[in-house]
Amino acid sequence: MKHFLPQAPSSSGVFCSKNWMLIKMNNLKNKILLITSIRWLARIWSIASIGFISFMVIAHIVGEESGTFNSLSEVVQFLFFPSGVYIGMIIAWKWEGLGGFITTISIITFHMLGHNYFLDFWIDGLSTPGLLFLFCFLLSRDQ
């Protein structure tokens, strides 16, 4: 009975079968498709996040309750969310790794400064593209 599984590469590094090469090429194509899909999901989600953050900041500034801070702690937290997240996502369009890192560190620092260690759907949902950019960068490094 003939086996249809590809043979592993030999110890000399020369491939024993053409099937092995085809499987490696298909895996590479699947990985490229995965990276491209994650990249575009992150970009589309970041556009929505940047738009929503912009709307909320502008509404807070021009709204009835003027945009003032009650303490220095609020100013520092504002530097991380929404400012750090916003800047990180914009940078991620050009440099995925750096932008994703800035966004991720900003949201983690924001939670730590506020002593809020639970996930908040709205705040963390707005910063999720940063994680996707970072994941995309890490996947695409070994190509």
Side-chain angles (χ1 to χ4, degrees), residues 31 35 39 96-97 131-143:
K31 186 174 182 181
I35 292 169
R39 179 175 290 129
E96 290 173 342
L131 286 173
L132 293 174
F133 279 122
L134 193 57
F135 186 62
C136 184
F137 169 74
L138 293 174
L139 279 178
S140 63
R141 276 183 24 182
D142 63 341
Q143 282 189 6

Side-chain angles (χ1 to χ4, degrees), residues 96-139:
E96 290 173 342
L98 178 62
F101 181 75
I102 290 170
T103 302
T104 304
I105 292 300
S106 293
I107 198 65
I108 290 170
T109 306
F110 171 77
H111 281 298
M112 291 178 74
L113 288 173
H115 303 291
N116 180 7
Y117 304 113
F118 299 103
L119 295 178
D120 183 347
F121 175 76
W122 290 106
I123 292 175
D124 297 326
L126 291 172
S127 62
T128 301
L131 286 173
L132 293 174
F133 279 122
L134 193 57
F135 186 62
C136 184
F137 169 74
L138 293 174
L139 279 178

Side-chain angles (χ1 to χ4, degrees), residues 3-16:
H3 296 283
F4 293 102
L5 294 174
Q7 296 176 345
S10 66
S11 61
S12 66
V14 178
F15 291 101
C16 299

Side-chain angles (χ1 to χ4, degrees), residues 37 47 53-54 56 60 68 72 74 79-80 82-83 85 122 132 141-142:
S37 300
I47 289 171
I53 290 171
S54 298
M56 294 305 290
H60 187 70
T68 59
L72 181 61
E74 285 185 5
L79 292 175
F80 293 103
S83 302
V85 171
W122 290 106
L132 293 174
R141 276 183 24 182
D142 63 341

